[in-house]
Amino acid sequence: MLRHLVAAALIVAASSASADTLDINLSNSNAQFKYSMPSGVAGKSDLFASLTYNEVNDILLDGGLLVLNEEGGVPGLSLGVGAKAVVASLGKVAPTRKVVSGVALGAHVRAELPADRRFALVGEYNYAPRIISFGDADHFAQGMVRLEFAMSPLTQAYIGYRSSKFYMKNAMPEGVVDNGGHIGVRLSF
């Protein structure tokens, strides 16, 4: 039931919103939907929100700001920093469902391959230390790496790996929302 509700909400949001970018990636055990749009907050920056859902009914929501800087001395290289709020509902860390959250700071790197600028390598890491992690979370860490191929100026397909975990207090098991490979597509409007 929850899967159908999430799918219907995303279809309605995608058709009614004037999104700049819609990013969808899937694996056998996870689905992530990410929406981002340009922001005038700080130079070349994006506001974003995403939903990640896994096969054991864990849900991770995040939203924040990513500020990018294209390095003039190295064609095709862009670096970014950002911050995001994360909140998750975890079902397998305790006898009852736990809601945990945090504020994560992050770094982003994108490098287009010089021989063929249609290919790019992208990496990102976000971390929320204990002081800004809430609920029963000790801290939060999320890392991602992927290889992109630009099928057109507005469409990129990619394969990647992502790990999203809440490290829990009181000897509870880790709250693993995502840990594995995925395939995806990013559509720009």
Side-chain angles (χ1 to χ4, degrees):
M1 175 66 179
L2 182 58
R3 290 180 187 188
H4 297 303
L5 181 62
V6 169
L10 289 169
I11 290 170
V12 169
S15 64
S16 64
S18 58
D20 180 63
T21 305
L22 180 61
D23 187 331
I24 301 169
N25 57 72
L26 306 168
S27 73
N28 282 335
S29 58
N30 288 336
Q32 184 188 56
F33 305 91
K34 185 175 183 179
Y35 165 80
S36 62
M37 64 183 178
S39 164
V41 175
K44 185 178 179 187
S45 59
D46 290 330
L47 290 171
F48 63 88
S50 75
L51 165 83
T52 304
Y53 175 81
N54 68 20
E55 67 184 349
V56 294
N57 296 326
D58 293 333
I59 297 173
L60 172 68
L61 298 169
D62 67 22
L65 176 71
L66 176 65
V67 180
L68 294 168
N69 180 27
E70 293 184 6
E71 294 299 311
V74 182
L77 178 65
S78 61
L79 304 174
V81 295
K84 66 180 180 177
V86 295
V87 62
S89 173
L90 306 172
K92 297 290 183 186
V93 296
T96 60
R97 192 166 267 292
K98 293 286 184 182
V99 175
V100 291
S101 59
V103 178
L105 300 177
H108 179 92
V109 176
R110 184 174 196 279
E112 294 175 349
L113 301 181
D116 188 349
R117 303 232 13 210
R118 294 181 302 164
F119 288 95
L121 184 62
V122 180
E124 188 172 289
Y125 186 76
N126 296 282
Y127 182 74
R130 178 180 302 141
I131 192 72
I132 51 178
S133 295
F134 308 102
D136 286 319
D138 182 71
H139 62 280
F140 169 77
Q142 181 180 58
M144 178 273 299
V145 63
R146 69 185 183 201
L147 179 63
E148 295 182 348
F149 174 72
M151 300 176 73
S152 76
L154 300 177
T155 305
Q156 288 82 35
Y158 58 86
I159 58 170
Y161 175 86
R162 181 179 45 248
S163 175
S164 302
K165 296 179 186 179
F166 282 91
Y167 295 84
M168 306 298 286
K169 296 177 183 173
N170 304 322
M172 284 190 279
E174 293 175 350
V176 179
V177 179
D178 189 2
N179 190 27
H182 56 268
I183 59 170
V185 64
R186 193 170 70 238
L187 307 169
S188 299
F189 301 91

